[in-house]
Amino acid sequence: MGDYGHDLEFGVFIEPAAQSADQVVALAALAEDVGYDLVSFTDHPYSPRSLDAWTLMSFVAARTGRVRLSANVLSLPLRPPAVLAQAAASLDILSHGRAELGIGAGIAGDAIEAMGGRRLDPGDSVEALEEGIHVIRELWDAGEQGGVRFEGKHYRLAGAFRGPAPVHDISIWVGAFKPRMLRLVGRLADGWWPTTAALKPGDLAAGNAVIDAAAAGAGREPHAIRRLLNLGAVDAPARETAAKLAKLALEDGVGTFIVTVNDPRLMEDFASEVAPRVREAVEEARLRGPGAPPAPVGAAAVGISAPAKAAAAPGETEDERLGVTPTPDEVIRLSDRAPWDDSTRPRRDRSGPEVSYTDQGRRVSKQLIHVHDMLRGELTDLRDIVRQVHDGAMRAEGARAALNEMVLRQNDWTLGAFCARHCNTVTQHHLVEDASVFPHLARRQPQLKPVIDRLAEEHLVIHDAIQEVDRALVQHMTRPENYDAIQGAIDYLTDALLSHLAYEEQELLEPLARLGFYPDQVPVRS
C-alpha cells in the first residue's frame, strides 16, 4: 500500500548531550515554538555523555505546553515494562496528554550487559518486547477490575495494581528492521519507526508489506499503524527535500518525519521552508485521488498566493476577503475595575483590496481563534467552579486544584499553544526569544510593533489576574464567608481576558494569514 492517509506530522531528534544540557532544553522549546509536532531523544543509559531520557523528557515537558515527547527509542532491556508503564502514564498525566512511547528491543548488547541488563539473543529479544508491550497495556487499563497477572518467559506480574491511566491513548511506536520485529509491529504496535540510514532502496515498501500482512492476520487495519521515519540531518535545498518527503508520504506511507537538528537556524528553516511545502503537496495529491503524484512543491508554502487567485470584489471588507471573522468584544464589563484603558490600544492599518489570501493562510488565522475559543471555554468553566464554591457544591481546595489544571494557568498567552511563551523570566534565557511569534511579526511588518508591545503588556496583567483568583481561593479556605473576593477576582479576570482575546484577533488574524506563525515564511503576493 502507498499512502495510508495519515495526517502529516514533523518532529525533531535532539542529541541529549549532558555537557550542553541547557542547549538541549532550549532546542526542545524552540521546536515547539516553530511548530513541530514531536520532540524526541535517544535512550542510552549506558552512555555517560547522555542525559537520561525520562528525566530529560519530564524536564522538557515542564518547559513546553503543546509539543509531544518521545524517546527515539527506549531500550526495553534496561527499562522494566511495569515500571515503564507507570513512568509513561505519569509523564502523560503531568504533560496533559503529550507523552508517546517509542520502544525497541535493545541493540547494544555489550553496553546493556555492562549496566546489569540481560543480554538476549535476537529471538528472545523479540519475545521480551512482545511480552513487555502486553504488560504495559495491561497496567494502563486502569478501568479493568482486579490486579494484573502475567506469566511470560521474560516478565511476570503477580497481581500488580493497575494504573495510573494515561490521559490520552499513548501510542507505542516500535523501532524495527527485521521481519520478526516487523510482524510484531503489525500485530501489536501503533507505529513503525525505522531510520533512513539503516534502510536500503525498497526496504520501506517491503517493511510495509510485512507489517500490513501481520496486521490483517491479527484482524487489524494496516492504516491504523502510523509509519514514522528518522531522516537524519537534512541539508539539501528546501524544494528538493520537500519533493522527496512528499513522495515518501504518498508512495511509502510515511506519516511522521523526524529530522536531526542541533542548530536553531536549521530547525527553523526546516519548519518554515520544508514542512509547509510537504503538507501542501500531499494534500493536493490526495485531493486529486489515489495514485496521483505529488504536486510540484514551491509556491505551496504558507502565505504564498496561488497564481490563479481571484481578485477581491469591489467594496469587500478585510474580514470578507480573509473569510475569517474576529470574535467581537461585547464590551460587557463585570468588574468595577478596568484592567487597562481600551482607548489607548494601538491599531494597525487595514489591508486593501489588492491583498489576497491562501487557504493555508486562512487556516493559520482559524488556528488562533480555535486556541482562543479553548481559553474562553475554560474561563466559562472557571466561573462555574466559583459559582459552585458559592453554592457550597465544591470546597475552595477543589476549585484551586481545578484552576491549576487549566491551560489558563500556563504562561503561554501570546498565541496559546501555537506561539512562543512571553514570560520574561523564560524568554530572556532561551533561544525562543529570537523565534517567537511576536518578534517574527514585528520583523516582517514593523508597523505592528506598537500593537505587539501592547499585547505583551496585557499578558502580564492577565497573569496577575490569575494569581489574584488563586489568592482569593486560598483566603476562602480559612475565611469561607469571604466570597466577594473570589467573585471580584473572577469578574476582573473575565473582563481582562475576553477583551484581550478579541483585541488580539482583531489585530493579528490578518497579519498571520499573510506571514504565518513562524519566522522566514514568505508573505502573500499581491
Side-chain angles (χ1 to χ4, degrees), residues 3 5 62 67 82 109 126-127 146 162 216 280 283 288 320 346 353 372 456 463 474 508 520:
D3 183 11
V67 74
V126 176
E127 288 180 356
R162 298 175 182 273
E280 193 80 9
E283 181 179 348
R288 293 199 303 272
E320 289 171 339
H372 282 184
H463 174 73
V474 172
L508 294 190
D520 303 322

Short mmCIF file of all heavy atoms in Angstrom, two decimals, residues 3 5 62 67 82 109 126-127 146 162 216 280 283 288 320 346 353 372 456 463 474 508 520:
data_model
loop_
_atom_site.label_atom_id
_atom_site.label_comp_id
_atom_site.label_asym_id
_atom_site.label_seq_id
_atom_site.Cartn_x
_atom_site.Cartn_y
_atom_site.Cartn_z
N ASP A 3 -0.05 5.39 0.18
CA ASP A 3 -0.44 6.39 1.15
C ASP A 3 -1.46 5.81 2.13
O ASP A 3 -2.52 5.34 1.74
CB ASP A 3 -1.03 7.59 0.40
CG ASP A 3 -1.41 8.72 1.32
OD1 ASP A 3 -1.04 8.69 2.51
OD2 ASP A 3 -2.09 9.66 0.84
N GLY A 5 -2.89 7.69 4.39
CA GLY A 5 -3.83 8.76 4.70
C GLY A 5 -3.64 9.42 6.04
O GLY A 5 -4.51 10.15 6.51
N ALA A 62 7.87 20.20 31.30
CA ALA A 62 7.55 21.32 32.18
C ALA A 62 7.88 22.66 31.54
O ALA A 62 7.36 23.70 31.97
CB ALA A 62 8.32 21.18 33.50
N VAL A 67 3.95 20.61 22.37
CA VAL A 67 4.66 19.58 21.62
C VAL A 67 4.64 18.25 22.37
O VAL A 67 4.68 18.20 23.60
CB VAL A 67 6.12 20.04 21.35
CG1 VAL A 67 6.98 19.98 22.60
CG2 VAL A 67 6.73 19.27 20.20
N ALA A 82 6.87 -2.94 33.61
CA ALA A 82 5.89 -2.50 34.60
C ALA A 82 6.22 -1.10 35.10
O ALA A 82 5.33 -0.24 35.27
CB ALA A 82 5.83 -3.49 35.76
N GLY A 109 24.17 -4.85 22.94
CA GLY A 109 24.21 -5.94 23.90
C GLY A 109 25.29 -5.79 24.94
O GLY A 109 25.05 -6.00 26.14
N VAL A 126 12.92 -10.30 20.79
CA VAL A 126 11.61 -10.01 20.20
C VAL A 126 10.50 -10.52 21.12
O VAL A 126 9.50 -9.83 21.34
CB VAL A 126 11.49 -10.64 18.79
CG1 VAL A 126 10.09 -10.40 18.22
CG2 VAL A 126 12.54 -10.05 17.85
N GLU A 127 10.66 -11.71 21.65
CA GLU A 127 9.67 -12.24 22.60
C GLU A 127 9.53 -11.33 23.82
O GLU A 127 8.41 -11.07 24.29
CB GLU A 127 10.08 -13.64 23.06
CG GLU A 127 9.94 -14.73 22.02
CD GLU A 127 10.36 -16.08 22.58
OE1 GLU A 127 10.83 -16.13 23.74
OE2 GLU A 127 10.24 -17.09 21.85
N GLY A 146 -9.53 -5.75 39.33
CA GLY A 146 -8.52 -6.69 39.79
C GLY A 146 -7.13 -6.34 39.32
O GLY A 146 -6.93 -5.52 38.42
N ARG A 162 -3.28 -1.92 38.82
CA ARG A 162 -3.39 -1.21 37.56
C ARG A 162 -3.26 0.30 37.78
O ARG A 162 -3.57 0.80 38.84
CB ARG A 162 -4.73 -1.50 36.89
CG ARG A 162 -4.93 -2.97 36.54
CD ARG A 162 -6.35 -3.20 35.98
NE ARG A 162 -6.56 -4.62 35.69
CZ ARG A 162 -6.24 -5.21 34.56
NH1 ARG A 162 -5.70 -4.49 33.60
NH2 ARG A 162 -6.47 -6.49 34.39
N ALA A 216 -3.30 -7.60 9.10
CA ALA A 216 -4.51 -8.25 8.59
C ALA A 216 -4.72 -9.60 9.27
O ALA A 216 -5.85 -9.97 9.61
CB ALA A 216 -4.39 -8.43 7.08
N GLU A 280 1.39 20.75 1.75
CA GLU A 280 0.58 21.24 0.64
C GLU A 280 0.62 20.27 -0.54
O GLU A 280 -0.41 19.98 -1.17
CB GLU A 280 1.08 22.62 0.21
CG GLU A 280 0.14 23.38 -0.71
CD GLU A 280 -0.99 24.05 0.04
OE1 GLU A 280 -0.98 24.08 1.29
OE2 GLU A 280 -1.90 24.56 -0.63
N GLU A 283 -1.41 17.17 0.36
CA GLU A 283 -2.84 17.49 0.39
C GLU A 283 -3.41 17.61 -1.03
O GLU A 283 -4.49 17.08 -1.32
CB GLU A 283 -3.06 18.78 1.16
CG GLU A 283 -4.52 19.20 1.27
CD GLU A 283 -4.70 20.48 2.07
OE1 GLU A 283 -3.73 20.93 2.72
OE2 GLU A 283 -5.81 21.04 2.03
N ARG A 288 -6.57 14.99 -5.56
CA ARG A 288 -6.68 14.50 -6.93
C ARG A 288 -7.03 13.02 -6.99
O ARG A 288 -7.43 12.52 -8.04
CB ARG A 288 -5.37 14.76 -7.68
CG ARG A 288 -5.08 16.24 -7.90
CD ARG A 288 -4.05 16.43 -9.01
NE ARG A 288 -2.82 15.73 -8.74
CZ ARG A 288 -1.80 16.23 -8.05
NH1 ARG A 288 -1.89 17.45 -7.54
NH2 ARG A 288 -0.68 15.53 -7.87
N GLU A 320 -14.16 40.11 5.06
CA GLU A 320 -14.84 39.38 4.00
C GLU A 320 -13.82 38.75 3.05
O GLU A 320 -13.99 37.61 2.61
CB GLU A 320 -15.78 40.32 3.24
CG GLU A 320 -17.01 40.73 4.04
CD GLU A 320 -17.81 41.83 3.37
OE1 GLU A 320 -17.24 42.54 2.51
OE2 GLU A 320 -19.00 41.97 3.70
N PRO A 346 -3.16 50.61 20.46
CA PRO A 346 -2.78 50.90 19.07
C PRO A 346 -3.57 50.02 18.11
O PRO A 346 -3.98 48.90 18.45
CB PRO A 346 -1.29 50.56 19.03
CG PRO A 346 -0.85 50.47 20.45
CD PRO A 346 -2.05 50.05 21.24
N PRO A 353 -7.84 46.09 -1.00
CA PRO A 353 -8.40 45.05 -1.88
C PRO A 353 -7.36 44.37 -2.75
O PRO A 353 -7.63 43.33 -3.34
CB PRO A 353 -9.40 45.83 -2.75
CG PRO A 353 -8.95 47.25 -2.69
CD PRO A 353 -8.34 47.44 -1.34
N HIS A 372 -8.09 30.44 21.11
CA HIS A 372 -8.80 31.41 21.95
C HIS A 372 -10.14 30.86 22.43
O HIS A 372 -10.55 31.11 23.56
CB HIS A 372 -9.01 32.70 21.15
CG HIS A 372 -7.79 33.56 21.07
ND1 HIS A 372 -7.77 34.80 20.48
CD2 HIS A 372 -6.52 33.34 21.50
CE1 HIS A 372 -6.57 35.32 20.55
NE2 HIS A 372 -5.79 34.45 21.16
N ALA A 456 1.77 42.31 24.66
CA ALA A 456 2.69 41.74 25.66
C ALA A 456 2.43 42.34 27.04
O ALA A 456 2.49 41.64 28.06
CB ALA A 456 4.13 41.97 25.23
N HIS A 463 -1.86 37.59 33.65
CA HIS A 463 -1.16 36.68 34.56
C HIS A 463 -1.42 37.10 36.01
O HIS A 463 -1.69 36.26 36.87
CB HIS A 463 0.33 36.70 34.26
CG HIS A 463 1.15 35.91 35.24
ND1 HIS A 463 1.16 34.54 35.25
CD2 HIS A 463 1.95 36.31 36.25
CE1 HIS A 463 1.95 34.12 36.21
NE2 HIS A 463 2.45 35.17 36.83
N VAL A 474 -7.36 30.74 48.11
CA VAL A 474 -6.60 30.37 49.32
C VAL A 474 -7.21 31.04 50.54
O VAL A 474 -7.40 30.42 51.59
CB VAL A 474 -5.12 30.77 49.16
CG1 VAL A 474 -4.37 30.57 50.47
CG2 VAL A 474 -4.46 29.94 48.06
N LEU A 508 -4.36 40.67 14.75
CA LEU A 508 -3.38 39.70 14.28
C LEU A 508 -3.90 38.66 13.30
O LEU A 508 -3.10 37.99 12.64
CB LEU A 508 -2.75 38.96 15.47
CG LEU A 508 -1.90 39.80 16.43
CD1 LEU A 508 -1.15 38.90 17.39
CD2 LEU A 508 -0.92 40.69 15.68
N ASP A 520 10.62 33.49 8.78
CA ASP A 520 11.12 33.22 7.42
C ASP A 520 10.08 32.65 6.47
O ASP A 520 10.43 32.06 5.46
CB ASP A 520 12.33 32.27 7.45
CG ASP A 520 13.43 32.82 8.31
OD1 ASP A 520 13.64 34.03 8.28
OD2 ASP A 520 14.08 32.02 9.00
#
